[in-house]
Amino acid sequence: GQSLEQPSEVTAVEGAIVQINCTYQTSGFYGLSWYQQHDGGAPTFLSYNGLDGLEETGRFSSFLSRSDSYGYLLLQELQMKDSASYFCAVEDSSYKLIFGSGTRLLVRP
Amino acid sequence: EAGVAQSPRYKIIEKRQSVAFWCNPISGHATLYWYQQILGQGPKLLIQFQNNGVVDDSQLPKDRFSAERLKGVDSTLKIQPAKLEDSAVYLCASSLGKPGTGLWETQYFGPGTRLLVL
């Protein structure tokens, strides 16, 4: 079977740092990606990890450990506009994206 | 660069009726995807096209759902007849299209069509 686990909800304060974890069990694995989706909006690509380690893109970083089937998204200097749902997605052996159920991030002033 | 366009944005129908959704991908993108996103869940792939050929439709409920991509550009997704459990957002996405190369391709999503089946 295929499963991705991520917390359903996270709350943090403006300016803080938050980490959203993702563990996965899939048939084949090529990489882990992260998407952001505001309410009523389209998912937008944030980052991709094909190899172990940390990828940094501005305030967002993503990490992957293939041996642990684990990754995380790190958001720094949180802003109110970061309030959204964040999805991890595994690229499986047939290059399909399998999405997790999403983590709803609420940033408070 | 124009993004992925979808229409309609919202649709309300009664069960057993038919409905169709339209998608225009980013110009030059060979790969087109249709996803179903039920409230509180992540998107689930229904069908993937490479140009006008189907690459994967393993999760498409073929007894009621159909999709086509004539001429390898626009695509339509149809549901006939609709059931209550089809209430969801239907997302279209596109990517440049180099399947099977192992190279990562960002998928660009449209705004979706929100379907409510009563």
Side-chain angles (χ1 to χ4, degrees):
Chain A
Q2 317 218 71
S3 68
L4 285 84
E5 298 286 334
Q6 50 180 132
S8 58
E9 219 171 83
V10 172
T11 301
V13 177
E14 199 175 10
I17 299 173
V18 73
Q19 179 173 313
I20 299 173
N21 298 321
C22 175
T23 56
Y24 58 87
Q25 243 184 342
T26 56
S27 55
F29 178 88
Y30 279 113
L32 184 71
S33 58
W34 291 90
Y35 281 79
Q36 178 193 60
Q37 186 178 33
H38 287 96
D39 283 349
T44 55
F45 172 76
L46 292 177
S47 70
Y48 174 78
N49 293 73
L51 301 173
D52 285 1
L54 193 68
E55 293 283 340
E56 296 180 76
T57 311
R59 295 187 297 114
F60 295 0
S61 303
S62 59
F63 172 83
L64 174 66
S65 168
R66 296 171 71 118
S67 60
D68 296 323
S69 298
Y70 163 77
Y72 66 72
L73 179 70
L74 192 74
L75 297 84
Q76 303 182 74
E77 300 171 21
L78 280 174
Q79 301 176 9
M80 299 297 290
K81 67 178 182 180
D82 297 330
S83 291
S85 291
Y86 292 84
F87 295 90
C88 59
V90 163
E91 188 183 19
D92 73 3
S93 56
S94 58
Y95 306 102
K96 279 195 323 229
L97 279 186
I98 312 297
F99 283 83
S101 294
T103 298
R104 194 171 182 87
L105 172 64
L106 176 62
V107 180
R108 291 188 168 156
Chain B
E1 178 184 83
V4 176
Q6 291 187 247
S7 68
R9 292 296 312 277
Y10 304 91
K11 191 74 178 178
I12 301 174
I13 61 172
E14 296 193 347
K15 60 183 179 185
R16 291 187 289 273
Q17 286 188 320
S18 304
V19 65
F21 314 126
W22 174 83
C23 172
N24 181 241
I26 292 172
S27 177
H29 279 194
T31 307
L32 184 147
Y33 314 79
W34 282 103
Y35 288 86
Q36 179 193 59
Q37 186 175 23
I38 292 171
L39 189 64
Q41 298 182 19
K44 183 183 88 170
L45 180 67
L46 293 175
I47 189 167
Q48 177 183 343
F49 291 95
Q50 176 71 12
N51 296 310
N52 59 352
V54 175
V55 174
D56 189 314
D57 63 357
S58 56
Q59 298 189 102
L60 186 74
K62 298 179 187 64
D63 57 333
R64 297 183 302 106
F65 286 64
S66 64
E68 60 182 12
R69 192 183 183 198
L70 300 175
K71 300 179 182 178
V73 181
D74 293 6
S75 178
T76 56
L77 176 70
K78 295 179 182 176
I79 308 175
Q80 181 179 15
K83 292 186 175 181
L84 296 177
E85 59 259 37
D86 298 332
S87 294
V89 176
Y90 291 85
L91 295 162
C92 179
S94 69
S95 64
L96 274 172
K98 298 185 293 296
T101 63
L103 298 175
W104 167 253
E105 288 205 338
T106 299
Q107 293 186 24
Y108 298 88
F109 284 81
T113 296
R114 195 172 297 265
L115 173 67
L116 179 60
V117 182
L118 302 175

